[in-house]
Amino acid sequence: MQYGYFDDDKREYVITRPDTPLPWINYLGCQAFFGLISNTAGGYSFYRDARLRRLTRYRYNNVPFDVGGRYIYLRDDHTGTYWSPSWQPVCRDLNDYQCRHGMGYTIIGGEYRGIEARTRFFVPLHEDLEVWQLTLTNRRAAPAVLSIFSSVEFCLWDAQDDAANFQRNFSIGEVEVEDRVIYHKTEYRERRNHFAYFACSAPVAGFETQREAFLGPYRGWDRPLAVERGIASNSIAHGWSPVGSHHVRVQLEPGETRQIIFLLGYSENPPQQKFDPPSSQTIFKGSVRPVIAKYLDAGNVERACRALASHWCDLLSTCQVDTPDAHTNRMVNIWNPCQCMATFNVSRSASFYESGIGRGLGFRDSSQDLLGFVQMVPARARERILDLAATQLPTGGAYHQYQPLTKRGNNDIGGNFNDDPLWLIIGTSAYLKETGDWSILDEPVPYDNQPGSEQPLYEHLQRSFRYTLERLGRHGLPLIGRADWNDCLNLNCFSDTPGESFQTTTNKEGKVAESVFIAALFVLAGGELASIAAHRHLDQESATCLAEIERMEQAIRDHGWDGKWFLRAYDDAGRKVGSAECDEGKIFIEPQGFAVMAGVGMEDGTARTALDSVNELLATDHGILLLQPAFSRYYLHLGEISSYPPGYKENAAIFCHNNPWVMIAEARLGRGDRAHDYYLRINPSARQSISDLHRCEPYVYSQMIAGRDAPSFGEAKNSWLTGTAAWNYYAVTQWILGIRPSYDGLEIAPVIPASWSGFRATRKFRGATYHVAVRRTGPGNHVSLVVDGVPVAGNTVPLPSRQGGEVIVEATIE
Ligand code: GLC
Ligand code: GLC
């Protein structure tokens, strides 16, 4: 069953009933001010850092799931009836309810008793505010007299402290109200230089800023007292819980439409200019007033909306495809890049499954996310790479995460994940291939943000590479450290204390446990580093690199092959993990996909054998399982992986992040049918018709889909913030459709299903626009190219001779 449909022309997903199985959300904002918004207007907003600069409060793990957000109430002042045009929180039956999630905006509304109300929510480019543009229409035959109440609940900035430190927090809330604008200024009197504001374009009949006054005692958001009475008490919050609510009265003639704009924004003042007059405790509003005035104007809001639309149009125009498969087209052209931008913006910090207080930007996660957004925002990708590298440690190791506000690395969610540094090479090489900006390698970048420690980025990559080589185990394979890509395979921690975090608990020194996955990652990343060195004419370094890779490949062949598939690891006692010898967890997906992606086993047939084992043992209708058989009990020596019930998360779910590794591996073997078949199994659009089972949004990937060992086999969880977004985009565009930036030009190497007669694509690359038409004339993958009418040898379109040009590429595959 479906809860909506795709409107591809408008690049929207339209939800047609509000009671979706889970909140189906969207992201607002693309630079510094962000919001999460659900299909019933739930969610919250923050400036840069979801933990440290939270504007509005949100109660996680709530009942019902999604309460609290950007709520507007309408009240019929003749009858006293009130409702929410976003359905929640009042939950009256609306006619024609619709939520349209689009690129950077969401429109929610419906009709109730002849009053139609729709609100468009978006964050204008370059501004630290969100607009709520409410359009009301009276469809009755008689005039309507209505009250409108807006509402937000302010968070006292640090979202973690806000949810815990009540003995202080109940006494610090402060607001100001001036010219219909509610200013939230908790702690502004002392060390904070920032405040929030909530403004309204219409004259107000009153306002509330104290939650208790707005809701009334023993009441929730579903029946606020002020709304029920139709009158606001002009409360001024002093301590307790500051909220913002405007009360606006309107009379609408039959057929009349009225627009009211609300703004929720963030602003900072320099420390020496906080107060006006300087001797007072009143916020200096000189810089924020013009911004408020600008966006309370409907014409400016329309212009901002058009600018946002054209921004997204530009982003998405980087790559547009027209294939015989609608799900491929829709995900590649619209939703997958949209999700990649969300992972770029907030990494894994803020979603309906990531609380915004737990994680900052992950080193490994952000490096991989680059694969999905570098083509859209290369300049920001550059900045991200340098930020990440600046948190690298002098040893070449990495903090597992950094906070976006400070850009400093920390160990809050653990450290010593031995795979981390290698991902920097993967991310940087993607950037170089896309942009050809070799100057980034000469950029001086500090270690651990220490001034004076600067070295060129290239040296950071070298240290990443050596970090692995300096940590090899007895089989010549890389030591795993705390864990590798699979955070939950903790071979050195032996945790027997309930509730202890596997990610932060003390790790054994770990001189034995080795990872075949890191070995494969090393081969892939090392290959890139060798090419980079060769490009810089550092032939000796390139040769050394290749020799180390060759040694690693040999170690994989000697000690990382189990007979029918690649082994996963050796544990702390030197026993095999992911082997036919094991009772459970005999085969893992990661080394199969990654080793083949890295080219290991292509010559001796083991690559093919490994992928056939994946097909036989791990592939299901809902995607490829992470491992089999699932761990049915807790294994002290394996750690968190066996802490999950069978079929969930890393314990044998379909962990969507690594499915594309197998797609790429299949493409490398030339098996286009299989690659695309795997692609469709987890493609959210292709799963739309089973929304009751899938439950998460049908327009974005989720981190996991429950595996066949779970009773809810096929149910997705943890949508939006997952490496799945970048990897699927990369797999389908670069390896299945095969349009692949390389150091020397645009490679065209499609490995598509046999039944496809071809496809078309437009790809912007290095300042030119490539119009690619692929035509299948035979069953294989052999490519012949004609570029601007001239046959070209090989399958790489040479770099464009001029900026802004158009290149016509005709590719024949047979
Ligand atoms: C989560 C983490 C990622 C990790 C993966 C597997 O997605 O964000 O860093 O690699 O889980 O454990
Ligand atoms: C938990 C999750 C895993 C995630 C890790 C990092 O272990 O299961 O997916 O990567 O936390 O915080």
Side-chain angles (χ1 to χ4, degrees):
M1 125 148 221
Q2 293 186 197
Y3 291 79
Y5 60 91
F6 287 92
D7 184 340
D8 291 337
D9 289 341
K10 290 194 169 141
R11 294 174 163 160
E12 292 174 339
Y13 190 81
V14 187
I15 301 166
T16 49
R17 45 184 295 175
D19 56 341
T20 47
L22 289 165
W24 285 3
I25 75 159
N26 196 13
Y27 282 82
L28 309 177
C30 42
Q31 281 136 340
F33 187 102
F34 297 103
L36 284 70
I37 183 162
S38 73
N39 56 306
T40 60
Y44 59 90
S45 306
F46 60 94
Y47 173 76
R48 287 194 194 276
D49 191 309
R51 173 175 161 193
L52 298 175
R53 289 286 189 281
R54 185 77 66 93
L55 267 82
T56 53
R57 188 173 278 162
Y58 193 75
R59 290 177 184 75
Y60 313 98
N61 210 354
N62 213 337
V63 185
F65 195 114
D66 175 31
V67 186
R70 303 166 179 83
Y71 293 146
I72 290 175
Y73 300 84
L74 298 183
R75 179 178 188 274
D76 186 325
D77 284 340
H78 281 319
T79 61
T81 314
Y82 60 91
W83 70 98
S84 317
S86 57
W87 189 59
Q88 286 218 89
V90 182
C91 296
R92 302 224 200 274
D93 278 336
L94 300 174
N95 289 327
D96 196 24
Y97 159 88
Q98 269 195 358
C99 166
R100 290 184 166 265
H101 283 318
M103 300 295 111
Y105 67 89
T106 287
I107 304 168
I108 312 176
E111 193 191 279
Y112 188 72
R113 298 200 179 167
I115 305 297
E116 189 184 319
R118 304 204 185 267
T119 312
R120 174 160 62 178
F121 301 89
F122 74 100
V123 175
L125 293 173
H126 316 298
E127 301 291 0
D128 299 328
L129 62 90
E130 64 185 42
V131 176
W132 311 2
Q133 187 186 15
L134 168 68
T135 307
L136 283 174
T137 307
N138 180 7
R139 305 249 178 244
R140 297 177 185 170
V145 179
L146 304 172
S147 275
I148 301 151
F149 289 87
S150 62
S151 71
V152 291
E153 182 177 10
F154 293 109
C155 177
L156 308 185
W157 303 116
D158 178 340
Q160 177 153 308
D161 187 77
D162 181 70
N165 192 9
F166 306 117
Q167 61 77 26
R168 172 176 165 84
N169 293 342
F170 284 162
S171 296
I172 61 172
E174 287 192 286
V175 299
E176 278 176 34
V177 181
E178 191 184 300
D179 292 341
R180 312 199 288 255
V181 185
I182 295 166
Y183 293 88
H184 173 230
K185 58 166 192 177
T186 298
E187 291 186 341
Y188 188 75
R189 56 168 42 249
E190 33 115 351
R191 290 155 297 172
R192 293 191 187 274
N193 302 326
H194 50 89
F195 57 90
Y197 57 88
F198 190 36
C200 171
S201 65
V204 300
F207 59 84
E208 300 287 9
T209 69
Q210 184 63 279
R211 193 182 71 208
E212 187 87 346
F214 180 62
L215 296 182
Y218 296 97
R219 284 163 178 261
W221 297 94
D222 54 335
R223 46 185 203 111
L225 191 59
V227 177
E228 196 175 283
R229 286 186 183 146
I231 192 153
S233 71
N234 299 350
S235 57
I236 295 290
H238 206 260
W240 291 112
S241 304
V243 298
S245 173
H246 307 92
H247 176 203
V248 176
R249 288 212 168 97
V250 294
Q251 169 149 355
L252 290 180
E253 297 309 313
E256 190 183 346
T257 290
R258 185 80 57 84
Q259 212 180 85
I260 298 172
I261 298 162
F262 298 97
L263 307 177
L264 174 67
Y266 170 94
S267 189
E268 285 174 7
N269 277 331
Q272 63 284 5
Q273 201 181 42
K274 278 174 68 167
F275 301 108
D276 181 22
S279 59
S280 75
Q281 292 288 295
T282 311
I283 302 174
F284 171 77
K285 306 187 183 77
S287 44
V288 79
R289 272 193 206 109
V291 182
I292 295 176
K294 177 171 177 191
Y295 289 99
L296 288 181
D297 176 87
N300 288 332
V301 165
E302 279 314 315
R303 271 186 286 282
C305 211
R306 279 200 297 275
L308 183 67
S310 91
H311 169 77
W312 273 99
C313 203
D314 280 353
L315 289 180
L316 299 184
S317 70
T318 320
C319 177
Q320 290 287 301
V321 304
D322 180 8
T323 79
D325 177 56
H327 304 298
T328 305
N329 297 343
R330 172 181 292 151
M331 289 310 292
V332 169
N333 294 340
I334 306 168
W335 289 100
N336 198 347
C338 169
Q339 186 178 4
C340 287
M341 287 308 296
T343 62
F344 162 59
N345 287 324
V346 298
S347 190
R348 306 293 173 272
S349 76
S351 75
F352 272 37
Y353 311 92
E354 300 282 4
S355 65
I357 56 183
R359 298 207 237 179
L361 268 70
F363 191 94
R364 173 208 289 147
D365 294 338
S366 294
S367 299
Q368 290 171 79
D369 291 345
L370 282 159
L371 296 172
F373 68 76
V374 62
Q375 73 289 355
M376 290 186 280
V377 283
R380 300 182 73 196
R382 187 182 209 272
E383 186 189 344
R384 177 63 56 82
I385 290 169
L386 298 175
D387 285 348
L388 284 165
T391 69
Q392 192 176 25
L393 298 163
T395 57
Y399 287 110
H400 204 42
Q401 72 161 4
Y402 72 92
Q403 284 312 128
L405 205 58
T406 60
K407 295 193 174 177
R408 294 293 167 103
N410 62 58
N411 284 323
D412 294 354
I413 57 163
N416 294 0
F417 296 84
N418 280 354
D419 64 312
D420 268 335
L422 289 171
W423 295 109
L424 185 64
I425 303 177
I426 302 282
T428 307
S429 72
Y431 173 80
L432 290 172
K433 288 176 185 170
E434 183 67 42
T435 63
D437 168 23
W438 292 88
S439 75
I440 192 175
L441 296 172
D442 300 319
E443 226 24 87
V445 184
Y447 289 95
D448 198 5
N449 284 293
Q450 291 310 308
S453 65
E454 290 81 1
Q455 291 276 323
L457 176 66
Y458 178 74
E459 174 58 24
H460 283 254
L461 304 185
Q462 288 287 343
R463 286 201 197 178
S464 292
F465 185 72
R466 290 200 297 270
Y467 182 85
T468 306
L469 289 176
E470 286 158 8
R471 287 164 185 77
L472 297 180
R474 54 173 74 150
H475 299 101
L477 295 165
L479 295 172
I480 195 167
R482 182 178 293 281
D484 58 27
W485 170 86
N486 189 330
D487 278 332
C488 301
L489 189 61
N490 311 118
L491 302 180
N492 290 307
C493 87
F494 300 95
S495 174
D496 55 9
T497 307
E500 184 171 67
S501 160
F502 291 91
Q503 312 300 322
T504 53
T505 184
T506 322
N507 235 24
K508 290 174 69 274
E509 223 187 318
K511 292 258 163 47
V512 178
E514 293 162 287
S515 163
V516 177
F517 171 80
I518 301 183
L521 172 61
F522 177 86
V523 173
L524 187 72
E528 297 297 350
L529 192 58
S531 306
I532 292 171
H535 223 275
R536 312 199 99 200
H537 307 295
L538 301 168
D539 296 338
Q540 188 52 47
E541 281 181 29
S542 179
T544 311
C545 211
L546 290 172
E548 294 297 354
I549 294 171
E550 176 46 38
R551 234 195 306 278
M552 190 66 80
E553 285 196 60
Q554 191 58 45
I556 298 177
R557 281 193 289 273
D558 293 346
H559 304 289
W561 179 249
D562 195 57
K564 288 196 169 159
W565 54 80
F566 293 98
L567 267 182
R568 179 63 177 87
Y570 287 91
D571 70 17
D572 183 57
R575 289 167 305 201
K576 293 174 179 172
V577 178
S579 156
E581 288 174 12
C582 305
D583 294 334
E584 301 186 316
K586 290 174 190 284
I587 173 171
F588 282 65
I589 190 174
E590 305 99 312
Q592 322 313 327
F594 229 89
V596 181
M597 253 173 78
V600 180
M602 300 297 271
E603 275 120 57
D604 61 11
T606 51
R608 184 173 284 266
T609 306
L611 294 191
D612 288 342
S613 297
V614 168
N615 190 255
E616 185 189 329
L617 301 170
L618 298 178
T620 77
D621 290 348
H622 296 292
I624 311 170
L625 300 165
L626 192 143
L627 62 86
Q628 281 289 289
F631 297 111
S632 60
R633 61 187 183 81
Y634 178 56
Y635 293 90
L636 189 66
H637 66 287
L638 298 179
E640 183 165 0
I641 193 164
S642 59
S643 75
Y644 287 113
Y648 286 143
K649 297 279 285 180
E650 282 86 341
N651 188 11
I654 293 136
F655 211 88
C656 300
H657 186 139
N658 44 35
N659 277 227
W661 299 346
V662 178
M663 297 167 203
I664 297 169
E666 287 290 359
R668 287 209 57 164
L669 287 186
R671 303 198 286 199
D673 279 324
R674 249 198 207 168
H676 194 258
D677 176 16
Y678 288 151
Y679 172 73
L680 281 183
R681 293 186 203 195
I682 63 167
N683 179 303
S685 161
R687 297 173 63 79
Q688 181 185 218
S689 59
I690 53 164
S691 284
D692 269 337
L693 173 64
H694 185 80
R695 300 188 80 228
C696 282
E697 296 93 332
Y699 41 91
V700 290
Y701 288 95
S702 295
Q703 182 200 51
M704 60 156 277
I705 296 173
R708 68 170 162 234
D709 300 283
S712 56
F713 181 31
E715 177 191 19
K717 273 189 200 148
N718 304 355
S719 57
W720 278 98
L721 301 186
T722 159
T724 311
W727 276 105
N728 272 284
Y729 187 78
Y730 175 72
V732 67
T733 57
Q734 299 205 19
W735 293 91
I736 297 178
L737 301 179
I739 302 186
R740 192 152 69 225
S742 77
Y743 298 115
D744 308 309
L746 192 62
E747 253 180 272
I748 309 287
V751 184
I752 54 177
S755 62
W756 285 16
S757 54
F759 68 91
R760 288 176 170 277
T762 309
R763 177 67 154 87
K764 292 189 180 156
F765 176 66
R766 310 267 185 118
T769 303
Y770 293 75
H771 302 278
V772 183
V774 174
R775 202 159 51 91
R776 187 187 265 306
T777 58
N781 302 305
H782 179 78
V783 178
S784 315
L785 287 185
V786 175
V787 178
D788 287 331
V790 183
V792 164
N795 62 358
T796 300
V797 185
L799 290 173
S801 48
R802 59 191 173 86
Q803 288 279 312
E806 311 270 324
V807 184
I808 307 294
V809 181
E810 296 158 89
T812 310
I813 46 176
E814 56 189 341

